[in-house]
Amino acid sequence: MKAHLTRRYMFSASHRLHSDEMSEEENRSIYGKCNNPYGHGHNYTIEVTVSGPVDGQTGMVCNLVDLDGLVHSHVIERYDQQNLNLLPEFASEVPTTENLCISIYEIVKRGLSKAHLDRIRIEETMMNSFEYLGEGGR
Amino acid sequence: MVYLTRKAEFSAAHYYHNPEFTPAENQRVFGKCNNPNGHGHNYTLEVTVKGAVDPKSGFVVDLKQLKDVMSREVLDVLDHRFLNKEVPEFFTKIPTTENLAIVIWQRLAPKLNAAQLHRVRVYETPELFVDFYGEA
């Protein structure tokens, strides 16, 4: 029996949306107030969805202790209370929540041994959320 | 095709234990969920059914019927119970949220006549939920 399990996590970080490939005016026009040079922050909520057969011995798709350990040590530790623009993955990519979804998907995917990663969904605010299902988004 | 979701809540106790594991293995795999005295959750259940909208009634499903089936087949059986000790499916199966979603699907699917069951979602806490779509 295949089941899909979702776990939610939270972290807070700052970012500034700005592309060096565009003029100051273009940046302001495209990113609006997100282009404020001092940056701004969000409380991000991440949903990690994994799927797989329910293990006959444990009744689990994925051991939550392992999943929590992976996400805490490789995602929360990496991003919580940080300025996203200063991280290496955003040296050449704009730290939009779309790109953050892709980066987190790749990190979690590398760390999962048994369960299949279905989706990373991030709520940047209560009003907007982004999903990446791993289909070569970048 | 329209999808309709109905929510319900129930509270139950459980613990995780596999008699085939040694005490040390049970402790390692299940951690504090292995405490044999059990612990509890307020579960939220979302049942999603799908179907064509009936041109006469404008309904995908008779909500009253869906609510009755959910109450009889799921809530009356699980609410305020110790899952390992009082619910037959969990005498042999570990009452993880994964298995709860599967058991709820198996209880509901044969009883829904008009609409087709699409998804069973069980929230163990606001931070953790499982979806089951009836996939093998």
Short mmCIF file of all heavy atoms in Angstrom, two decimals, chain B residues 13-56:
data_model
loop_
_atom_site.label_atom_id
_atom_site.label_comp_id
_atom_site.label_asym_id
_atom_site.label_seq_id
_atom_site.Cartn_x
_atom_site.Cartn_y
_atom_site.Cartn_z
N ALA B 13 -5.95 7.41 21.48
CA ALA B 13 -4.62 7.10 22.02
C ALA B 13 -4.00 5.97 21.21
O ALA B 13 -4.71 5.18 20.57
CB ALA B 13 -4.75 6.66 23.48
N HIS B 14 -2.68 5.92 21.20
CA HIS B 14 -1.99 4.83 20.52
C HIS B 14 -0.55 4.76 21.03
O HIS B 14 -0.09 5.65 21.75
CB HIS B 14 -2.01 5.00 18.99
CG HIS B 14 -1.15 6.10 18.45
ND1 HIS B 14 -0.91 6.28 17.10
CD2 HIS B 14 -0.47 7.10 19.07
CE1 HIS B 14 -0.14 7.33 16.93
NE2 HIS B 14 0.16 7.85 18.09
N TYR B 15 0.12 3.69 20.66
CA TYR B 15 1.58 3.64 20.79
C TYR B 15 2.10 2.74 19.69
O TYR B 15 1.33 1.99 19.07
CB TYR B 15 2.03 3.18 22.19
CG TYR B 15 1.81 1.72 22.50
CD1 TYR B 15 2.89 0.83 22.54
CD2 TYR B 15 0.54 1.22 22.79
CE1 TYR B 15 2.70 -0.51 22.84
CE2 TYR B 15 0.35 -0.12 23.08
CZ TYR B 15 1.44 -0.98 23.12
OH TYR B 15 1.25 -2.30 23.40
N TYR B 16 3.39 2.88 19.38
CA TYR B 16 3.99 2.12 18.29
C TYR B 16 4.86 1.02 18.87
O TYR B 16 5.75 1.29 19.69
CB TYR B 16 4.88 3.02 17.42
CG TYR B 16 4.14 4.10 16.66
CD1 TYR B 16 4.83 5.12 16.01
CD2 TYR B 16 2.75 4.09 16.56
CE1 TYR B 16 4.18 6.11 15.30
CE2 TYR B 16 2.08 5.08 15.86
CZ TYR B 16 2.80 6.09 15.23
OH TYR B 16 2.14 7.06 14.53
N HIS B 17 4.58 -0.20 18.43
CA HIS B 17 5.34 -1.33 18.96
C HIS B 17 5.22 -2.49 17.98
O HIS B 17 4.12 -2.79 17.53
CB HIS B 17 4.75 -1.75 20.33
CG HIS B 17 5.45 -2.92 20.93
ND1 HIS B 17 6.62 -2.79 21.66
CD2 HIS B 17 5.17 -4.24 20.92
CE1 HIS B 17 7.02 -3.99 22.05
NE2 HIS B 17 6.16 -4.88 21.62
N ASN B 18 6.34 -3.10 17.64
CA ASN B 18 6.29 -4.29 16.80
C ASN B 18 6.79 -5.47 17.61
O ASN B 18 7.96 -5.49 18.01
CB ASN B 18 7.17 -4.08 15.55
CG ASN B 18 7.06 -5.26 14.59
OD1 ASN B 18 6.73 -6.37 15.00
ND2 ASN B 18 7.32 -5.00 13.32
N PRO B 19 5.90 -6.46 17.87
CA PRO B 19 6.31 -7.60 18.72
C PRO B 19 7.47 -8.40 18.12
O PRO B 19 8.12 -9.14 18.85
CB PRO B 19 5.03 -8.45 18.82
CG PRO B 19 4.13 -7.96 17.75
CD PRO B 19 4.51 -6.55 17.43
N GLU B 20 7.71 -8.21 16.80
CA GLU B 20 8.83 -8.94 16.18
C GLU B 20 10.17 -8.26 16.46
O GLU B 20 11.22 -8.83 16.19
CB GLU B 20 8.62 -9.04 14.66
CG GLU B 20 7.47 -9.95 14.30
CD GLU B 20 7.08 -9.84 12.83
OE1 GLU B 20 7.87 -9.28 12.05
OE2 GLU B 20 5.98 -10.31 12.50
N PHE B 21 10.15 -7.02 16.94
CA PHE B 21 11.39 -6.32 17.26
C PHE B 21 11.79 -6.59 18.71
O PHE B 21 10.92 -6.83 19.57
CB PHE B 21 11.20 -4.79 17.12
CG PHE B 21 11.04 -4.28 15.72
CD1 PHE B 21 10.57 -2.99 15.50
CD2 PHE B 21 11.36 -5.07 14.61
CE1 PHE B 21 10.42 -2.50 14.22
CE2 PHE B 21 11.21 -4.56 13.32
CZ PHE B 21 10.73 -3.28 13.13
N THR B 22 13.07 -6.48 19.00
CA THR B 22 13.54 -6.53 20.39
C THR B 22 13.14 -5.21 21.05
O THR B 22 12.86 -4.21 20.37
CB THR B 22 15.07 -6.65 20.45
OG1 THR B 22 15.62 -5.46 19.87
CG2 THR B 22 15.57 -7.87 19.70
N PRO B 23 13.14 -5.18 22.40
CA PRO B 23 12.84 -3.90 23.08
C PRO B 23 13.77 -2.78 22.60
O PRO B 23 13.32 -1.63 22.41
CB PRO B 23 13.07 -4.23 24.56
CG PRO B 23 12.81 -5.70 24.66
CD PRO B 23 13.28 -6.29 23.36
N ALA B 24 15.04 -3.12 22.38
CA ALA B 24 15.99 -2.08 21.94
C ALA B 24 15.64 -1.58 20.55
O ALA B 24 15.70 -0.37 20.26
CB ALA B 24 17.41 -2.63 21.96
N GLU B 25 15.25 -2.50 19.65
CA GLU B 25 14.87 -2.10 18.29
C GLU B 25 13.61 -1.24 18.32
O GLU B 25 13.51 -0.23 17.62
CB GLU B 25 14.58 -3.34 17.43
CG GLU B 25 15.80 -3.97 16.81
CD GLU B 25 15.43 -5.22 16.00
OE1 GLU B 25 14.65 -6.06 16.51
OE2 GLU B 25 15.90 -5.33 14.88
N ASN B 26 12.61 -1.66 19.12
CA ASN B 26 11.39 -0.86 19.24
C ASN B 26 11.70 0.56 19.70
O ASN B 26 11.16 1.53 19.17
CB ASN B 26 10.41 -1.53 20.22
CG ASN B 26 9.48 -2.50 19.51
OD1 ASN B 26 8.72 -2.11 18.63
ND2 ASN B 26 9.54 -3.77 19.87
N GLN B 27 12.60 0.65 20.67
CA GLN B 27 12.97 1.95 21.22
C GLN B 27 13.68 2.80 20.16
O GLN B 27 13.42 3.98 20.00
CB GLN B 27 13.88 1.73 22.45
CG GLN B 27 14.12 2.97 23.26
CD GLN B 27 12.82 3.66 23.69
OE1 GLN B 27 11.89 3.02 24.15
NE2 GLN B 27 12.74 4.96 23.50
N ARG B 28 14.56 2.13 19.41
CA ARG B 28 15.35 2.85 18.41
C ARG B 28 14.45 3.35 17.26
O ARG B 28 14.55 4.49 16.83
CB ARG B 28 16.45 1.94 17.86
CG ARG B 28 17.37 2.61 16.84
CD ARG B 28 18.46 1.67 16.35
NE ARG B 28 17.95 0.42 15.79
CZ ARG B 28 17.40 0.31 14.59
NH1 ARG B 28 17.30 1.36 13.80
NH2 ARG B 28 16.95 -0.87 14.17
N VAL B 29 13.55 2.47 16.80
CA VAL B 29 12.73 2.82 15.63
C VAL B 29 11.61 3.79 16.02
O VAL B 29 11.34 4.74 15.30
CB VAL B 29 12.14 1.54 14.98
CG1 VAL B 29 11.15 1.90 13.87
CG2 VAL B 29 13.24 0.65 14.44
N PHE B 30 10.97 3.54 17.15
CA PHE B 30 9.76 4.30 17.47
C PHE B 30 9.97 5.40 18.51
O PHE B 30 9.07 6.21 18.75
CB PHE B 30 8.64 3.35 17.92
CG PHE B 30 8.25 2.35 16.86
CD1 PHE B 30 8.31 0.98 17.10
CD2 PHE B 30 7.82 2.77 15.62
CE1 PHE B 30 7.94 0.06 16.14
CE2 PHE B 30 7.45 1.87 14.63
CZ PHE B 30 7.52 0.50 14.89
N GLY B 31 11.13 5.39 19.19
CA GLY B 31 11.43 6.46 20.16
C GLY B 31 10.37 6.57 21.23
O GLY B 31 9.87 5.57 21.74
N LYS B 32 9.97 7.82 21.53
CA LYS B 32 9.02 8.00 22.65
C LYS B 32 7.61 7.54 22.29
O LYS B 32 6.78 7.35 23.18
CB LYS B 32 9.04 9.43 23.18
CG LYS B 32 8.75 10.49 22.18
CD LYS B 32 8.93 11.87 22.80
CE LYS B 32 8.64 12.92 21.74
NZ LYS B 32 8.72 14.28 22.22
N CYS B 33 7.35 7.29 20.99
CA CYS B 33 6.04 6.74 20.59
C CYS B 33 5.90 5.29 21.02
O CYS B 33 4.85 4.68 20.87
CB CYS B 33 5.85 6.82 19.07
SG CYS B 33 5.94 8.49 18.44
N ASN B 34 7.00 4.68 21.53
CA ASN B 34 6.97 3.27 21.94
C ASN B 34 6.47 3.11 23.38
O ASN B 34 6.24 1.98 23.83
CB ASN B 34 8.40 2.68 21.80
CG ASN B 34 8.47 1.20 22.09
OD1 ASN B 34 9.31 0.75 22.86
ND2 ASN B 34 7.60 0.42 21.49
N ASN B 35 6.28 4.17 24.12
CA ASN B 35 5.79 4.08 25.51
C ASN B 35 4.49 3.27 25.56
O ASN B 35 3.47 3.69 24.99
CB ASN B 35 5.57 5.51 26.02
CG ASN B 35 4.97 5.54 27.42
OD1 ASN B 35 4.55 4.52 27.96
ND2 ASN B 35 4.93 6.74 28.00
N PRO B 36 4.50 2.10 26.23
CA PRO B 36 3.33 1.20 26.18
C PRO B 36 2.08 1.76 26.85
O PRO B 36 0.99 1.24 26.66
CB PRO B 36 3.82 -0.06 26.90
CG PRO B 36 5.00 0.37 27.71
CD PRO B 36 5.61 1.55 27.01
N ASN B 37 2.24 2.81 27.63
CA ASN B 37 1.06 3.42 28.25
C ASN B 37 0.28 4.28 27.25
O ASN B 37 -0.82 4.73 27.55
CB ASN B 37 1.47 4.28 29.45
CG ASN B 37 2.12 3.44 30.53
OD1 ASN B 37 1.68 2.33 30.81
ND2 ASN B 37 3.21 3.93 31.09
N GLY B 38 0.88 4.48 26.09
CA GLY B 38 0.18 5.21 25.03
C GLY B 38 0.24 6.71 25.22
O GLY B 38 0.68 7.22 26.25
N HIS B 39 -0.14 7.41 24.15
CA HIS B 39 -0.26 8.86 24.18
C HIS B 39 -1.34 9.20 23.17
O HIS B 39 -1.78 8.33 22.42
CB HIS B 39 1.08 9.54 23.82
CG HIS B 39 1.56 9.20 22.45
ND1 HIS B 39 2.21 8.02 22.17
CD2 HIS B 39 1.44 9.84 21.28
CE1 HIS B 39 2.50 7.97 20.89
NE2 HIS B 39 2.03 9.07 20.30
N GLY B 40 -1.78 10.44 23.14
CA GLY B 40 -2.95 10.73 22.31
C GLY B 40 -2.77 11.88 21.35
O GLY B 40 -1.80 12.64 21.44
N HIS B 41 -3.68 11.96 20.40
CA HIS B 41 -3.70 13.06 19.44
C HIS B 41 -5.14 13.50 19.19
O HIS B 41 -6.06 12.70 19.32
CB HIS B 41 -3.10 12.63 18.10
CG HIS B 41 -1.65 12.25 18.17
ND1 HIS B 41 -0.65 13.17 18.30
CD2 HIS B 41 -1.04 11.04 18.15
CE1 HIS B 41 0.52 12.55 18.35
NE2 HIS B 41 0.32 11.25 18.27
N ASN B 42 -5.28 14.75 18.76
CA ASN B 42 -6.54 15.19 18.16
C ASN B 42 -6.33 15.06 16.66
O ASN B 42 -5.57 15.83 16.07
CB ASN B 42 -6.83 16.64 18.51
CG ASN B 42 -7.07 16.82 19.99
OD1 ASN B 42 -7.68 15.96 20.64
ND2 ASN B 42 -6.60 17.93 20.54
N TYR B 43 -6.94 14.08 16.07
CA TYR B 43 -6.78 13.85 14.63
C TYR B 43 -7.82 14.67 13.85
O TYR B 43 -8.96 14.81 14.29
CB TYR B 43 -7.01 12.38 14.30
CG TYR B 43 -5.96 11.44 14.83
CD1 TYR B 43 -6.13 10.79 16.05
CD2 TYR B 43 -4.81 11.17 14.09
CE1 TYR B 43 -5.16 9.91 16.54
CE2 TYR B 43 -3.85 10.29 14.56
CZ TYR B 43 -4.03 9.67 15.79
OH TYR B 43 -3.09 8.80 16.25
N THR B 44 -7.41 15.15 12.70
CA THR B 44 -8.37 15.74 11.76
C THR B 44 -8.41 14.86 10.53
O THR B 44 -7.35 14.50 9.99
CB THR B 44 -7.97 17.17 11.36
OG1 THR B 44 -7.91 17.97 12.54
CG2 THR B 44 -8.98 17.79 10.41
N LEU B 45 -9.60 14.49 10.14
CA LEU B 45 -9.79 13.63 8.98
C LEU B 45 -10.40 14.45 7.85
O LEU B 45 -11.35 15.21 8.08
CB LEU B 45 -10.72 12.47 9.36
CG LEU B 45 -11.30 11.63 8.24
CD1 LEU B 45 -10.21 10.86 7.50
CD2 LEU B 45 -12.35 10.67 8.78
N GLU B 46 -9.85 14.33 6.65
CA GLU B 46 -10.47 14.93 5.47
C GLU B 46 -10.78 13.81 4.49
O GLU B 46 -9.88 13.09 4.06
CB GLU B 46 -9.53 15.93 4.79
CG GLU B 46 -9.35 17.22 5.56
CD GLU B 46 -8.43 18.20 4.82
OE1 GLU B 46 -8.08 17.94 3.66
OE2 GLU B 46 -8.07 19.22 5.44
N VAL B 47 -12.04 13.69 4.15
CA VAL B 47 -12.45 12.68 3.17
C VAL B 47 -12.85 13.42 1.89
O VAL B 47 -13.74 14.28 1.92
CB VAL B 47 -13.63 11.85 3.70
CG1 VAL B 47 -14.15 10.89 2.64
CG2 VAL B 47 -13.20 11.08 4.95
N THR B 48 -12.18 13.09 0.79
CA THR B 48 -12.49 13.73 -0.49
C THR B 48 -13.14 12.70 -1.42
O THR B 48 -12.58 11.63 -1.64
CB THR B 48 -11.21 14.29 -1.14
OG1 THR B 48 -10.60 15.20 -0.23
CG2 THR B 48 -11.51 15.02 -2.45
N VAL B 49 -14.31 13.07 -1.94
CA VAL B 49 -14.98 12.21 -2.92
C VAL B 49 -15.06 12.99 -4.24
O VAL B 49 -14.97 14.21 -4.26
CB VAL B 49 -16.40 11.80 -2.47
CG1 VAL B 49 -16.34 10.96 -1.21
CG2 VAL B 49 -17.28 13.01 -2.26
N LYS B 50 -15.20 12.24 -5.33
CA LYS B 50 -15.30 12.90 -6.63
C LYS B 50 -16.45 12.32 -7.43
O LYS B 50 -16.87 11.18 -7.21
CB LYS B 50 -13.99 12.77 -7.39
CG LYS B 50 -13.62 11.35 -7.76
CD LYS B 50 -12.29 11.31 -8.50
CE LYS B 50 -11.85 9.86 -8.70
NZ LYS B 50 -10.52 9.76 -9.31
N GLY B 51 -16.94 13.12 -8.33
CA GLY B 51 -18.02 12.63 -9.18
C GLY B 51 -18.54 13.76 -10.04
O GLY B 51 -18.11 14.91 -9.92
N ALA B 52 -19.46 13.40 -10.92
CA ALA B 52 -20.08 14.42 -11.75
C ALA B 52 -21.17 15.10 -10.93
O ALA B 52 -21.76 14.49 -10.03
CB ALA B 52 -20.69 13.76 -12.98
N VAL B 53 -21.42 16.36 -11.23
CA VAL B 53 -22.47 17.08 -10.52
C VAL B 53 -23.83 16.65 -11.08
O VAL B 53 -24.06 16.74 -12.28
CB VAL B 53 -22.29 18.61 -10.69
CG1 VAL B 53 -23.40 19.36 -9.99
CG2 VAL B 53 -20.94 19.03 -10.14
N ASP B 54 -24.66 16.15 -10.20
CA ASP B 54 -25.99 15.71 -10.62
C ASP B 54 -26.78 16.93 -11.12
O ASP B 54 -26.92 17.91 -10.40
CB ASP B 54 -26.69 15.08 -9.42
CG ASP B 54 -28.05 14.52 -9.78
OD1 ASP B 54 -28.97 15.31 -10.13
OD2 ASP B 54 -28.20 13.29 -9.73
N PRO B 55 -27.28 16.88 -12.37
CA PRO B 55 -27.93 18.08 -12.92
C PRO B 55 -29.20 18.46 -12.17
O PRO B 55 -29.58 19.64 -12.16
CB PRO B 55 -28.25 17.68 -14.37
CG PRO B 55 -28.13 16.20 -14.43
CD PRO B 55 -27.24 15.76 -13.31
N LYS B 56 -29.84 17.51 -11.53
CA LYS B 56 -31.08 17.83 -10.81
C LYS B 56 -30.81 18.43 -9.45
O LYS B 56 -31.38 19.44 -9.07
CB LYS B 56 -31.93 16.57 -10.65
CG LYS B 56 -32.68 16.20 -11.90
CD LYS B 56 -33.65 15.07 -11.59
CE LYS B 56 -33.88 14.27 -12.86
NZ LYS B 56 -34.35 12.92 -12.60
#
